[in-house]
Amino acid sequence: MPNQNGRVFGLTFLCPILDDETLQISHDLQIRDYLATLPTDERSPFALAPGTHVARLVVMDDVIYVGMPAHEEHLASKYLVFETNTDADLPGYLRTLFDAIPQHIDAVWSHCTGYPGTADFDKLLAYMKACQIPTTFFFAAVNDKSVTETLLALQTQRAVAEFITTHQGMAPAQLQREFLEFYQALQSLPCPAAGGKLPRRVIKTGGHNE
Amino acid sequence: MSNINGKLYAMNAITPMKPWKTWILRVIFFLLWHIKSKQQDLINLSFIQFARWVIIPRNRFPSLSSGQKQETLTYDYLLFFSNFNGTWNQYIDAFSAVLSTGLNLIWRWSEKFPGSVPVTGFKEYIARIQFDTDYYYTAYPEATANDTKAAHIVQGALTTLATQAAAQTPEQFQAAYLQFLLAVQTHLGDTGDAPAVF
Amino acid sequence: MSKLNATDVQGFVLRGYNMPHARFCFLHFQNAAAGRHLVAQLLGSITTGQLWDNGKPQSTLNIAFTFKGLTALELPLATLISFPDEFQQGMKDRASILGDIGKNSPEHWDALWRGADIHAWVAIHALTPETLEAQFAQLNAIISATGNIHLLGSQDAAALVIDGKLSTKEHFGYTDGFGNPDYLGVCRNTQPGQGKLLPDGTWAPLATGELLLGYADEAGELPVAPVPHILAANGTFMVYRKLHENVGTFRAFLDEWGARYGAGDAAAKEKLASKFIGRWQDGTPIELSPDAPDPSIVADPNRNTDFKFGNDLSGSRCPVGAHVRRVHPRDAFGFNGKLVDRRRITRRGMPYGPQVDPTTPQDPATLDSTDRGVVFMALNASLSRQFEFVQQQWISYGNDAHLGNEKDLLLGTHLPGEKFSIQGDTNPANPPLFCANLPNFVELRGGDYFFLPSITALAMIAMELVDPR
Ligand code: HEM
């Protein structure tokens, strides 16, 4: 099923946006406005709910026909596109968002047609299912690792590079001892925050330049 | 609004297709999906983290309430979402230079697709069918697809070394450590900030 | 491709002159009339691409303009705004893209590059110091006679003399001047390794449009160029960068890490130096001869640029981050080099500054502070697609080479915490090494982007005949 590639899920939603001509600022612009100020780093709502590799929200206000002669046609509704690459399929993934960031879901989706709110998970799930479009083809460069595994691996990579550069030319017995200490220290490090910058020099690796 | 977060660029593109052509494209995607060797070029190009194509038939735009106006479209739509590393120009240049056949196979069913060669016309076309991202998040903004692959290789090699290390004599460890260095030596490139966009 | 009219192209574009002395003069036009008059006066003396079958001239003369220069010459607005963005901006405004930060940022450049706007570059190359001075005196006479032209400053460059012989070495000790692309119609004979790779593994010249405006490029299109076409055709863009070399820092770094590499002896040090660049200091490509220099390869044009990296993906012969591998990755990225063909540049650089005297020892600080380095000049049809891309993505970044954020060792502006990976194998003389605490070996002291027009275009500029339509 192309919604899934290995262990990664590629979920796509098109949520019709409310159309209310009496408003001073239309719903689509209110969504844009809210999203424009939302942090995209480790304070992002997606960083607070586990399991999102990469996600985007896009207001699709119309379709376009490029070329001559133009066969113009227009959408009756504007749509909020939600494109996300996740560690879980829809019910599991939505549950993590529902538990961690209901206020953000409300803030964005309350501008969408038929949105049931976050009072009842099953209603929300039914709504998102109704908005879901099956992904036709899904490519993932790394498809067998979770977000946590990747964040840990990146932390490991940096720490290992540091260990190696500071332990060149060391006598084997000492190297072995310091390596085992290093490995242990690394194992006990917490997973770095999603969405942020990796901290530098989290472990004192010993070696030449301490 | 930004299409960029750290080392990642979000592209959204939408093109109309005559409905009968949609079926041909579905068959092509089906084959592409099941014949993994056909995806090799995409993998080798190595700067796409995630990408997807989504076909929306003209009568399948979600309709959530009776109050919502019905869509009256004559075309089906092909949506393309890509998460790539590097510059916009680099991405399209590379596609045009080495994947033009594959791209043409996917987009030739879209109305007035100019072909992915010559690249200037192709870029103009993409610039117009592209729409901008309002909100873009990545869990690892400092890493490219290559960086994450490399990190997982280092993680694997480290685990292998660590499981042997405690039981080894210093001399055995020294030999194992050299093998470890050789296994990771091309995978230690640091992660960090992306170069300035141009 | 139609036949190239070499008499319409400035000679500097079509070939490296291989003359040991040079002076680059930087001019400012007080007004457009003066500028045009100067171009008219110089026109007859500009060295063209005509072949020197009857021997080399004593000296050469070439000219190029910055965007500010073309503006000062009052080219029509429609023409001016048709130049590529990066050329209009100039090199200073591209600093963040080029990684010209910290000590390399424009506020630290030489006074010449911080003062009045530079409008033109006039280059003299000569066989002897005397002929250089003679040509320069002539230029000066024309400048004074014209009036309202300021010679803001000049930069001398000269080939280094090693054991009494002219060399192509630069101050760190490496031999330069091997790798440069072949283009269709430009080179009389082509050399394996210089053009582009074909699927069968052989080499062919690059499309002319990768160097010259007005001809098809590797994408099969005419390069982006200003209007009218005739102003652009047979012209090209030039990058000029004065790159200071910290020779003391280089030597100290090599001593420090050489002592920790392999046997830690003189041979190990020499080998380590070769790993930084990808060539032994005599020029032998380490991809072809990783264990020792081989003068027979250096001397043979059929071998000295004929190598690939596809069988060395581990980098144990030539490190993945070595200079020549970064700036010309050949087949390293797969796809028969197709991702590389539109990223090539033609180099015309020369060393400047006093040669390090090998007989009297000097302290590293003096070695560093002496004004010496490389006048880096490179030609390409598109500054942004070719030079800027190489400088940013391949020198100051490593993702295409799967090196993450690692930079070129000698050229990168290194930040604390950065390292440089030298891959190795199980041979104790060829171990992996990871250099840390990287100093900055090269510093940018000034430069800009120039347009090097054809002879026809120079005449149009001189006669105020540019018609954008
Ligand atoms: C002080 C600064 C520099 C030094 C000392 C230096 C040194 C060298 C050396 C020793 C070589 C090998 C000889 C050869 O193949 O001709 C070389 C090649 C090359 N360098 Fe540099 N370089 C410098 C700056 C640059 C810059 C700024 C660029 C580009 C932005 C660059 C691009 C190239 C290219 C394209 C080659 C030819 C590679 C090939 O075709 O195999 N260099 N350089």
Side-chain angles (χ1 to χ4, degrees):
Chain A
M1 177 66 200
N3 277 346
Q4 185 177 359
N5 188 334
R7 279 168 52 190
V8 185
F9 294 83
L11 311 178
T12 317
F13 307 90
L14 242 69
C15 308
I17 298 173
L18 286 168
D19 184 16
D20 181 351
E21 281 165 16
T22 64
L23 284 182
Q24 250 193 332
I25 302 175
S26 62
H27 285 288
D28 57 312
L29 294 188
Q30 291 194 46
I31 294 180
R32 285 206 207 267
D33 197 43
Y34 183 78
L35 294 177
T37 56
L38 207 55
T40 56
D41 54 15
E42 70 275 11
R43 297 162 302 153
S44 164
F46 292 105
L48 306 176
T52 307
H53 291 266
V54 176
R56 71 180 81 177
L57 288 161
V58 186
V59 172
M60 187 171 106
D61 52 9
D62 206 349
V63 293
I64 185 168
Y65 190 104
V66 173
M68 250 268 295
H71 291 274
E72 227 182 285
E73 64 176 2
H74 297 283
L75 291 176
S77 295
K78 299 183 186 341
Y79 294 85
L80 173 66
V81 180
F82 177 29
E83 189 257 3
T84 184
N85 303 273
T86 68
D87 284 336
D89 203 355
L90 177 56
Y93 179 62
L94 190 65
R95 171 63 76 175
T96 62
L97 299 183
F98 177 85
D99 288 342
I101 53 161
Q103 72 281 22
H104 292 294
I105 303 181
D106 281 338
V108 174
W109 270 271
S110 59
H111 298 289
C112 294
T113 309
Y115 173 66
T118 41
D120 180 339
F121 178 75
D122 290 332
K123 281 194 182 143
L124 184 66
L125 181 60
Y127 165 78
M128 289 308 278
K129 275 190 177 152
C131 295
Q132 188 173 17
I133 312 280
T135 297
T136 313
F137 186 90
F138 180 40
F139 173 80
V142 176
N143 70 357
D144 59 348
K145 297 289 189 290
S146 69
V147 173
T148 307
E149 285 167 324
T150 295
L151 289 169
L152 284 171
L154 289 166
Q155 170 168 277
T156 297
Q157 181 193 39
R158 183 169 283 183
V160 162
E162 165 103 25
F163 180 86
I164 290 174
T165 39
T166 50
H167 287 73
Q168 302 181 92
M170 187 174 276
Q174 190 189 351
L175 179 66
Q176 184 177 24
R177 200 168 57 244
E178 293 201 6
F179 172 78
L180 289 168
E181 280 165 21
F182 160 75
Y183 186 71
Q184 216 160 30
L186 185 64
Q187 292 316 100
S188 60
L189 279 186
C191 181
K197 288 178 182 286
L198 272 187
R200 290 206 169 261
R201 308 232 51 199
V202 276
I203 327 178
K204 292 256 179 261
T205 54
H208 292 293
N209 293 313
E210 289 301 341
Chain B
M1 180 185 299
S2 176
N3 295 316
I4 297 169
N5 187 346
K7 290 183 175 175
L8 212 52
Y9 187 107
M11 176 179 280
N12 316 297
I14 183 163
T15 50
M17 285 184 297
K18 294 214 168 85
W20 63 268
K21 294 185 181 173
T22 305
W23 293 104
I24 306 175
L25 184 57
R26 283 192 194 279
V27 172
I28 289 168
F29 275 130
F30 180 85
L31 295 175
L32 206 58
W33 184 257
H34 288 280
I35 311 172
K36 293 287 173 200
S37 63
K38 298 272 179 228
Q39 296 178 33
Q40 206 53 44
D41 279 348
L42 219 50
I43 294 167
N44 291 346
L45 218 40
S46 91
F47 48 68
I48 303 162
Q49 225 151 305
F50 299 102
R52 72 179 69 166
W53 285 267
V54 181
I55 295 173
I56 312 186
R58 63 200 184 291
N59 50 10
R60 292 287 172 78
F61 280 72
S63 176
L64 268 286
S65 84
S66 48
Q68 187 188 341
K69 274 185 227 136
Q70 283 301 308
E71 299 292 354
T72 52
L73 299 168
T74 52
Y75 293 108
D76 290 351
Y77 283 86
L78 176 63
L79 284 167
F80 174 58
F81 301 105
S82 173
N83 303 276
F84 64 84
N85 310 125
T87 70
W88 190 92
N89 277 302
Q90 178 184 15
Y91 179 67
I92 297 174
D93 282 334
F95 262 154
S96 174
V98 304
L99 275 188
S100 64
T101 326
L103 286 197
N104 290 347
L105 202 60
I106 290 173
W107 267 289
R108 62 180 298 174
W109 318 104
S110 289
E111 290 296 287
K112 302 288 192 291
F113 176 64
S116 52
V117 175
V119 68
T120 305
F122 183 50
K123 282 183 181 172
E124 266 166 35
Y125 178 76
I126 297 200
R128 291 183 183 201
I129 59 169
Q130 186 180 348
F131 53 113
D132 291 290
T133 308
D134 287 279
Y135 182 80
Y136 194 30
Y137 168 79
T138 163
Y140 22 91
E142 292 186 306
T144 63
N146 287 339
D147 295 337
T148 55
K149 284 185 212 164
H152 288 299
I153 290 171
V154 173
Q155 181 77 70
L158 179 72
T159 310
T160 308
L161 179 65
T163 45
Q164 315 161 356
Q168 283 171 329
T169 65
E171 287 65 36
Q172 287 170 328
F173 176 74
Q174 188 180 29
Y177 188 77
L178 176 59
Q179 287 308 321
F180 166 69
L181 289 187
L182 299 182
V184 301
Q185 63 180 352
T186 52
H187 306 292
L188 294 175
D190 202 2
T191 47
D193 290 337
V197 176
F198 79 113
Chain C
M1 201 208 87
S2 59
K3 194 172 167 302
L4 198 78
N5 180 0
T7 62
D8 193 40
V9 185
Q10 293 201 48
F12 184 73
V13 180
L14 296 190
R15 71 171 82 118
Y17 290 142
N18 265 326
M19 292 191 177
H21 303 278
R23 179 167 298 159
F24 308 109
C25 308
F26 298 98
L27 310 183
H28 178 90
F29 309 139
Q30 291 286 85
N31 57 54
R36 285 195 289 264
H37 190 67
L38 180 81
V39 176
Q41 295 303 302
L42 295 178
L43 196 54
S45 323
I46 301 295
T47 307
T48 73
Q50 201 170 21
L51 291 169
W52 292 334
D53 288 327
N54 305 318
K56 270 188 185 184
Q58 284 300 308
S59 65
T60 63
L61 190 71
N62 292 98
I63 187 164
F65 306 96
T66 59
F67 183 70
K68 290 193 168 124
L70 297 177
T71 310
L73 287 164
E74 293 180 0
L75 261 57
L77 182 64
T79 293
L80 289 173
I81 62 172
S82 66
F83 276 92
D85 305 351
E86 71 278 8
F87 175 69
Q88 293 192 37
Q89 279 196 301
M91 210 171 80
K92 259 184 208 158
D93 287 354
R94 308 289 282 181
S96 65
I97 289 166
L98 299 173
D100 297 338
I101 52 169
K103 275 191 167 174
N104 300 325
S105 60
E107 69 261 28
H108 297 296
W109 291 359
D110 287 354
L112 169 66
W113 296 98
R114 284 182 286 115
D117 289 340
I118 286 171
H119 290 157
W121 161 97
V122 177
I124 300 168
H125 287 79
L127 290 178
T128 65
E130 294 74 33
T131 50
L132 180 79
E133 293 305 337
Q135 178 74 272
F136 181 62
Q138 244 173 36
L139 173 66
N140 254 328
I142 294 176
I143 289 176
S144 325
T146 307
N148 288 318
I149 305 282
H150 282 239
L151 175 58
L152 299 173
S154 64
Q155 173 70 56
D156 280 6
L160 303 189
V161 178
I162 310 284
D163 300 330
K165 283 199 291 270
L166 289 172
S167 78
T168 53
K169 286 204 182 274
E170 50 70 58
H171 296 289
F172 290 149
Y174 295 100
T175 311
D176 203 349
F178 294 96
N180 247 348
D182 289 337
Y183 303 94
L184 263 181
V186 171
C187 311
R188 261 206 255 192
N189 30 33
T190 61
Q191 194 173 311
Q194 299 287 59
K196 63 175 174 185
L197 265 174
L198 299 180
D200 67 0
T202 61
W203 298 84
L206 284 165
T208 318
E210 294 297 317
L211 173 68
L212 285 177
L213 304 179
Y215 301 84
D217 64 19
E218 278 298 323
E221 294 182 86
L222 293 186
V224 181
V227 291
H229 175 78
I230 191 168
L231 179 79
N234 284 334
T236 188
F237 290 101
M238 176 178 77
V239 187
Y240 180 103
R241 281 163 86 79
K242 181 182 177 188
L243 297 173
H244 173 80
E245 296 184 300
N246 286 320
V247 175
T249 299
F250 175 77
R251 292 185 176 180
F253 185 85
L254 195 54
D255 283 343
E256 180 196 342
W257 289 93
R260 299 170 62 178
Y261 184 60
D265 53 7
K269 198 169 113 176
E270 193 188 345
K271 185 177 169 101
L272 182 60
S274 80
K275 297 278 188 182
F276 298 165
I277 284 282
R279 286 181 181 266
W280 294 90
Q281 295 211 321
D282 76 340
T284 311
I286 58 176
E287 193 56 54
L288 296 179
S289 178
D291 299 326
D294 180 345
S296 74
I297 299 180
V298 177
D300 182 354
N302 279 316
R303 293 165 73 201
N304 64 24
T305 54
D306 189 11
F307 52 95
K308 293 181 211 160
F309 304 113
N311 292 327
D312 183 23
L313 292 179
S314 74
S316 63
R317 291 165 81 91
C318 178
V320 180
H323 181 63
V324 299
R325 187 163 174 164
R326 281 175 176 269
V327 292
H328 183 193
R330 300 164 189 260
D331 60 337
F333 303 160
F335 298 103
N336 297 312
K338 270 263 162 281
L339 296 173
V340 172
D341 297 342
R342 304 231 299 148
R343 313 289 183 191
R344 305 289 305 283
I345 55 175
T346 290
R347 295 174 305 137
R348 294 279 183 260
M350 275 180 90
Y352 72 88
Q355 203 164 334
V356 181
D357 180 356
T359 53
T360 47
Q362 287 174 37
D363 67 290
T366 317
L367 281 172
D368 278 0
S369 62
T370 310
D371 186 32
R372 67 163 74 87
V374 172
V375 172
F376 175 83
M377 291 175 290
L379 307 171
N380 46 207
S382 168
L383 291 160
S384 68
R385 171 166 55 76
Q386 293 165 281
F387 164 71
E388 289 189 337
F389 185 91
V390 172
Q391 174 72 28
Q392 179 188 78
Q393 293 283 319
W394 293 351
I395 286 182
S396 312
Y397 190 52
N399 188 52
D400 280 350
H402 296 230
L403 287 173
N405 285 49
E406 261 187 54
K407 298 168 186 160
D408 189 296
L409 178 69
L410 296 185
L411 286 155
T413 307
H414 301 294
L415 306 172
E418 292 186 0
K419 67 173 188 321
F420 181 75
S421 306
I422 293 165
Q423 293 83 19
D425 54 30
T426 50
N427 172 0
N430 191 42
L433 181 74
F434 302 88
C435 301
N437 306 318
L438 309 181
N440 289 317
F441 299 96
V442 170
E443 287 166 22
L444 177 64
R445 292 290 163 83
D448 212 337
Y449 293 156
F450 292 85
F451 175 56
L452 248 148
S454 69
I455 304 299
T456 304
L458 286 172
M460 289 167 64
I461 291 171
M463 294 189 274
E464 220 184 333
L465 288 178
V466 178
D467 169 16
R469 309 194 235 297

